[in-house]
Amino acid sequence: MSDAAWAALTALVFLAGCGAGRFVNVAAVRFGPREFLGDQLRSLWRPTPHEAALTRGRGASKLPVVGWFLPSHPLSAAPLRDRLGPALVEFAAGALLAGLFWQEVANWRTWSPPGGPFLPDVARAFECPWDAAFTFALHALMLLSLLAASVIDLRRLLIPDGTTVPALLLAVVASLSGRLWLVPVWFEEGRVSRLAPVGARPDVQPVPLWILEHPHLHGLAVSLAGIVAGAGVCWAVRWIGALTLGREAMGLGDVILMAMVGAFVGWQPVLTVFFLAPVAALAVVVPAKLYDAATGKATSAEFPYGPWLALAAAFVVLFWQDVWPAVGSFFALGPFVLLAGLTIAVLLAVLLWLIAVVKRALGIDVEYWPPGFALWSSADTLTYLAAESDDLDRPAGAPGRPARPWPGSAAGRGRLHADRWRHGGSPSPSSQFRPNLRR
């Protein structure tokens, strides 16, 4: 096919991706309020009337992106920012899938991470366009799942299992095809480091023979190793944070999200994702916090980390050909990779312990959470954080209370009637944001 034909197909994929973004918005609205996986999946065809009104359109309002700004949309009376967010989600879905299609399908003949000295015998390359299309479909599902998880995490500081667990299970099943991996589950360079002479260990087989002889078993091994590595590294950080700082450093939803990414890409790429995510987070969160501090805006110490993990995962998948030469030399160290991982974990624990010591020396209470918080569920933790950052006892405009608190705060804490009585029976603040239910 000519370049013009591939460009036309990429444009069609962009439009299809925008349509898939509409489903991402539906999942974001219906999965967020539900705790259990079964309830989240059932909400796709059994939504509440309010959820159906938020995600239902008529005529041209069903069009992705532009439909949110048409007068016939149910949310046409809502503020512009309430409609701009879902439109950007649909546009982002289209852009992600179009970029992925161009990288993995349109350029399938040249898609092969350069092995160089790291993979002398095995280099992952697509054998035909159908092979590339199969991998594209699975990676597209992963990117859409990451987008849905990010949207919900930004809104609610949680990642529902409905956005991660189904994709994780599908990735494990699809890995049996032997076509999903980016890097072999194990390989080792003949030298143990850049400082050692070439050929220092000539007895080392770079890629085990069983990988070549059993491609389907190898695909499953890549997926399972990715799950263990992705979930394990997040759980280690979560445990170290609780041990040294007296609080969770990462949520359980982040652990499952990284397990899903590992199921699709393997353990080497998922570890690369984990170490790239803080770079993206610091580049955005630190300037935002400094701006809020300079303007006197009250903010919470908590911020969602799932979107930055998702952003790093999308970057790694889209630009793996460029990422792999930069990280391949580290993963070629073989068993020394495990030793390096343990060393990093110990250094992290020491660093967080020193931070806790400095805070105590300055009179800052580190362990300020109530006793027994380690046994709390995710809902308990979020309820506590909501009570700390959205105290209804504080008058409007007081420090620490948002200028526009969440309309469901009083109802969620069982204080709706008391709050209305205290303020003279004023109507619920959420009435002005109700959707337009015109038929």
Side-chain angles (χ1 to χ4, degrees), residues 144-162:
L144 292 176
S145 300
L146 291 174
L147 183 59
S150 300
V151 172
I152 298 174
D153 200 14
L154 286 171
R155 294 176 180 175
R156 296 178 173 269
L157 287 178
L158 58 85
I159 300 178
D161 291 340

Side-chain angles (χ1 to χ4, degrees), residues 244-339:
T244 56
L245 298 179
R247 60 179 306 172
E248 296 177 352
M250 299 183 71
L252 187 59
D254 299 324
V255 176
I256 302 176
L257 183 141
M258 285 294 285
M260 181 199 70
V261 174
F264 279 97
V265 300
W267 70 273
Q268 300 100 327
V270 79
L271 291 183
T272 305
V273 168
F274 181 79
F275 287 105
L276 285 178
V279 179
L282 291 175
V284 177
V285 174
V286 172
K289 293 290 185 181
L290 293 177
Y291 174 80
D292 292 340
T295 57
K297 181 180 179 181
T299 58
S300 173
E302 309 294 327
F303 69 93
Y305 194 59
W308 313 115
L309 293 172
L311 181 62
F315 177 83
V316 167
V317 171
L318 289 173
F319 302 101
W320 179 244
Q321 289 180 288
D322 301 315
V323 172
W324 172 243
V327 301
S329 58
F330 172 75
F331 293 110
L333 297 178
F336 290 91
V337 175
L338 302 177
L339 180 61

Side-chain angles (χ1 to χ4, degrees), residues 130-415:
W130 298 113
D131 184 15
F134 175 79
T135 305
F136 161 75
L138 292 172
H139 285 168
L141 175 64
M142 184 193 74
L143 293 181
L144 292 176
S145 300
L146 291 174
L147 183 59
S150 300
V151 172
I152 298 174
D153 200 14
L154 286 171
R155 294 176 180 175
R156 296 178 173 269
L157 287 178
L158 58 85
I159 300 178
D161 291 340
T163 61
T164 53
V165 173
L168 185 153
L169 297 177
L170 180 61
V172 173
V173 175
S175 67
L176 292 171
S177 66
R179 299 180 179 181
L180 191 57
W181 55 273
L182 298 177
V183 185
V185 70
W186 186 260
F187 65 93
E188 186 176 357
E189 199 179 356
R191 51 182 180 169
V192 297
S193 70
R194 293 181 180 272
L195 301 179
V198 177
R201 300 178 62 193
D203 58 318
V204 173
Q205 180 70 27
V207 179
L209 293 178
W210 70 269
I211 292 179
L212 305 176
E213 297 172 352
H214 305 282
H216 304 290
L217 180 61
H218 170 247
L220 179 61
V222 169
S223 184
L224 296 179
I227 293 174
V228 173
V233 68
C234 287
W235 189 268
V237 172
R238 173 186 171 97
W239 178 75
I240 291 174
L243 185 65
T244 56
L245 298 179
R247 60 179 306 172
E248 296 177 352
M250 299 183 71
L252 187 59
D254 299 324
V255 176
I256 302 176
L257 183 141
M258 285 294 285
M260 181 199 70
V261 174
F264 279 97
V265 300
W267 70 273
Q268 300 100 327
V270 79
L271 291 183
T272 305
V273 168
F274 181 79
F275 287 105
L276 285 178
V279 179
L282 291 175
V284 177
V285 174
V286 172
K289 293 290 185 181
L290 293 177
Y291 174 80
D292 292 340
T295 57
K297 181 180 179 181
T299 58
S300 173
E302 309 294 327
F303 69 93
Y305 194 59
W308 313 115
L309 293 172
L311 181 62
F315 177 83
V316 167
V317 171
L318 289 173
F319 302 101
W320 179 244
Q321 289 180 288
D322 301 315
V323 172
W324 172 243
V327 301
S329 58
F330 172 75
F331 293 110
L333 297 178
F336 290 91
V337 175
L338 302 177
L339 180 61
L342 292 175
T343 303
I344 293 174
V346 172
L347 293 177
L348 176 63
V350 172
L351 177 62
L352 294 179
W353 177 77
L354 291 176
I355 292 175
V357 170
V358 171
K359 285 186 174 181
R360 292 190 182 96
L362 296 176
I364 301 176
D365 188 9
V366 178
E367 299 179 358
Y368 61 88
W369 284 56
F373 79 92
L375 301 178
W376 288 3
S377 64
S378 298
D380 297 329
T381 303
L382 292 173
T383 301
Y384 177 80
L385 294 174
E388 289 295 306
S389 61
D390 188 18
D391 193 348
L392 298 178
D393 292 329
R394 303 175 187 175
R401 173 167 176 163
R404 184 186 178 190
W406 177 48
S409 296
R413 297 167 63 185
R415 298 178 53 181

Side-chain angles (χ1 to χ4, degrees), residues 97-118:
L97 266 59
L100 183 66
F101 180 83
W102 184 260
Q103 288 284 83
E104 293 189 349
V105 181
N107 297 320
W108 70 273
R109 294 183 183 278
T110 60
W111 195 95
S112 176
F118 315 125

